[in-house]
Amino acid sequence: MMSAAIRTKNKDEGRSRFSNEQIQFLEYMFETQSRPELRTKQQLANKLGLHPRQVAIWFQNRRARSKSRQTEQEYNILKHNYEALASKSESLKEENQALLTQVP
Amino acid sequence: MAGFMPMCSTIEEEEEEEEGGGSSSPVGYRREFQSMLMEGLDEDGDQLGGQKKRRLSVDQVKALEKNFEMENRLEPERKLKLAQELGLQPRQVAVWFQNRRARWKTKQLERDYALLKANFDSLKNNYDSLQQDNQSLLKQIRELKSKLYGEDQETDVPLKEETRDKPKSPETMYENMVATTTTYFPDFKDGSSDSDSSAILNEDNNSSNMAAVVVVANCHQLPESKAIMGDAQKAYQPQFVKIEEHNFFSGDESCNFFSDDQAPTLQWYCQDQWNLTRDN
């Protein structure tokens, strides 16, 4: 894995920035297929005026981001469920204690 | 990724850049993708400007990782020092740290999730065993009381006597509930004698609602009982509030006794996860 980009001090600010339209289109494609085939990527690159490798890496990153978001979502849901279950647990404990007084 | 971050000197200042492309990813992700900036490649994928993107050596990475472990934020002096020591551009060090933080954040999230899942599973086990205890206690009480009252009596007679004689104050409601808790259970088991209570039972077989059911059934002598029984679900709420005062139950309304009414959002949350509303 490339762990760092070599940064030059070029005044090429923003040259790596994809245009909004490019991003829009890439996102649109991502919606239906997160792992496009080589040919698709090539076509995409041609259409958008990008290097195929750029497209490939965009998808790679996009998948990673998707995965992170999903984990985050799942985490929040689970947290919520956990808290609800914890409170239910407490109630049940108390109920059991109360019932216990009636048994012996 | 080229689309997400402009290549800019502000990287050195470790500031967050406005991201391009209209995506709404959180901060950490933007930083992460900075590392993958394609930086405008020429045909063979070589970086424009004649500099190849080279991987850092194993030793360089080791040193950076070590440094990162001590302190994951970089001040200018440390950055320069590291850059010198490792033979890298300061910019490279800065970017490496930025990316490293983003990677760390992702890993941390996964760690947190795994931990939460483990806690949740153990909580669930506890809950299930509590539920078992609950069931066995109820059964015990039922059996004890049915022995006490014998078989020749109508099972709803003691119920009616006790509830009719007493005034309908909240205190006596509570007494009723404690005293008649067990007398209800034969009813519910048979689903017979008292038509009102069996209606409740039919509505909701969830045993965790048993106590709540008792609450409602206890009030069937009250004038509004007809209205209550007509809509058993809605009836739970007002009665539940009264009993809260006596701390019989936990006053926490999020405990889903009245799951359908109270917490529609939770049902949405549950999806295929632990189903709090029905899985008792």
Side-chain angles (χ1 to χ4, degrees):
Chain A
M1 176 177 79
M2 298 294 239
S3 54
I6 295 175
R7 299 274 171 218
T8 66
K9 303 265 164 114
N10 290 342
K11 306 278 164 54
D12 287 319
E13 298 194 13
R15 70 174 166 149
S16 345
R17 201 169 185 167
F18 291 174
S19 73
N20 287 343
E21 298 79 31
Q22 286 171 323
I23 300 273
Q24 232 173 36
F25 199 81
L26 287 164
E27 289 282 355
Y28 168 75
M29 291 302 294
F30 186 82
E31 255 177 80
T32 39
Q33 35 178 349
S34 66
R35 286 188 189 269
E37 286 179 2
L38 194 56
R39 182 186 296 275
T40 316
K41 284 189 280 200
Q42 226 127 31
Q43 290 172 341
L44 214 45
N46 289 334
K47 182 177 171 82
L48 298 177
L50 296 169
H51 196 277
R53 183 134 171 78
Q54 288 179 291
V55 173
I57 295 215
W58 185 91
F59 272 85
Q60 191 180 329
N61 289 339
R62 185 63 185 79
R63 285 190 296 267
R65 179 155 49 125
S66 206
K67 184 173 176 228
S68 283
R69 280 184 187 163
Q70 195 189 350
T71 308
E72 199 178 357
Q73 255 184 354
E74 288 170 2
Y75 181 88
N76 291 334
I77 290 172
L78 190 57
K79 184 144 206 296
H80 189 282
N81 288 354
Y82 179 91
E83 286 163 1
L85 186 60
S87 124
K88 244 185 150 183
S89 234
E90 283 307 303
S91 311
L92 201 53
K93 258 191 220 168
E94 288 178 22
E95 185 186 328
N96 282 359
Q97 277 171 352
L99 289 178
L100 214 49
T101 64
Q102 299 181 41
V103 168
Chain B
M1 195 57 256
F4 291 101
M5 286 294 295
M7 216 180 45
C8 239
S9 59
T10 53
I11 289 164
E12 306 244 75
E13 293 150 20
E14 311 261 326
E15 272 183 318
E16 200 48 54
E17 284 285 68
E18 243 344 281
E19 63 166 349
S23 54
S24 55
S25 58
V27 167
Y29 306 131
R30 279 179 264 161
R31 285 189 170 162
E32 174 171 12
F33 299 139
Q34 209 175 343
S35 70
M36 317 270 203
L37 276 184
M38 285 311 296
E39 302 189 6
L41 304 169
D42 59 23
E43 271 102 37
D44 22 319
D46 280 354
Q47 188 167 329
L48 290 178
Q51 285 208 347
K52 268 216 159 88
K53 238 187 192 168
R54 236 179 253 115
R55 293 182 81 133
L56 301 185
S57 78
V58 176
D59 296 322
Q60 285 172 324
V61 173
K62 267 194 199 165
L64 287 164
E65 287 283 356
K66 219 167 159 201
N67 223 276
F68 184 83
E69 253 167 81
M70 293 194 299
E71 173 58 53
N72 74 345
R73 292 231 157 233
L74 213 51
E75 320 91 47
E77 322 94 50
R78 228 173 114 219
K79 174 170 64 183
L80 283 172
K81 181 163 161 279
L82 265 177
Q84 268 180 342
E85 284 176 15
L86 302 176
L88 297 168
Q89 296 292 326
R91 183 77 144 263
Q92 289 176 277
V93 176
V95 168
W96 188 92
F97 265 77
Q98 212 159 349
N99 291 334
R100 189 63 187 81
R101 281 192 294 271
R103 281 200 300 275
W104 183 87
K105 191 174 179 209
T106 310
K107 277 188 213 156
Q108 184 61 34
L109 179 62
E110 310 222 330
R111 271 175 275 169
D112 292 344
Y113 182 84
L115 185 61
L116 182 62
K117 185 88 183 40
N119 289 344
F120 182 87
D121 291 339
S122 95
L123 180 67
K124 183 164 189 302
N125 285 338
N126 289 348
Y127 182 85
D128 288 342
S129 89
L130 272 178
Q131 190 69 298
Q132 277 180 344
D133 294 345
N134 186 265
Q135 292 299 82
S136 90
L137 278 173
L138 292 178
K139 183 165 181 260
Q140 266 185 288
I141 290 172
R142 199 162 50 221
E143 288 167 358
L144 281 174
K145 294 298 170 145
S146 81
K147 276 195 212 141
L148 261 177
Y149 282 104
E151 291 126 339
D152 46 1
Q153 276 187 341
E154 283 302 307
T155 47
D156 60 6
V157 166
L159 161 67
K160 283 183 179 153
E161 280 175 351
E162 291 188 60
T163 55
R164 215 183 310 156
D165 294 342
K166 297 186 171 151
K168 314 296 187 294
S169 66
E171 287 78 18
T172 55
M173 256 174 64
Y174 175 63
E175 285 164 5
N176 275 348
M177 174 157 52
V178 175
T180 62
T181 291
T182 57
T183 65
Y184 277 103
F185 294 145
D187 288 345
F188 295 156
K189 192 160 203 253
D190 304 333
S192 56
S193 47
D194 189 75
S195 63
D196 283 344
S197 58
S198 64
I200 296 162
L201 180 66
N202 292 338
E203 287 267 344
D204 189 351
N205 289 319
N206 188 330
S207 61
S208 81
N209 281 338
M210 269 309 215
V213 172
V214 170
V215 172
V216 182
N218 250 326
C219 304
H220 80 292
Q221 296 295 332
L222 296 171
E224 60 265 29
S225 64
K226 282 284 175 187
I228 290 171
M229 296 307 147
D231 191 350
Q233 292 275 350
K234 293 226 168 72
Y236 290 156
Q237 252 168 343
Q239 304 310 325
F240 182 66
V241 171
K242 281 186 189 161
I243 296 305
E244 263 186 285
E245 293 168 0
H246 301 280
N247 252 349
F248 190 74
F249 302 116
S250 139
D252 188 350
E253 282 168 356
S254 74
C255 62
N256 285 331
F257 276 142
F258 313 117
S259 37
D260 287 340
D261 253 24
Q262 276 192 340
T265 52
L266 267 175
Q267 277 186 313
W268 175 82
Y269 272 127
C270 285
Q271 302 173 4
D272 47 349
Q273 304 251 3
W274 162 246
N275 187 334
L276 296 172
T277 60
R278 280 285 163 244
D279 190 11
N280 282 307

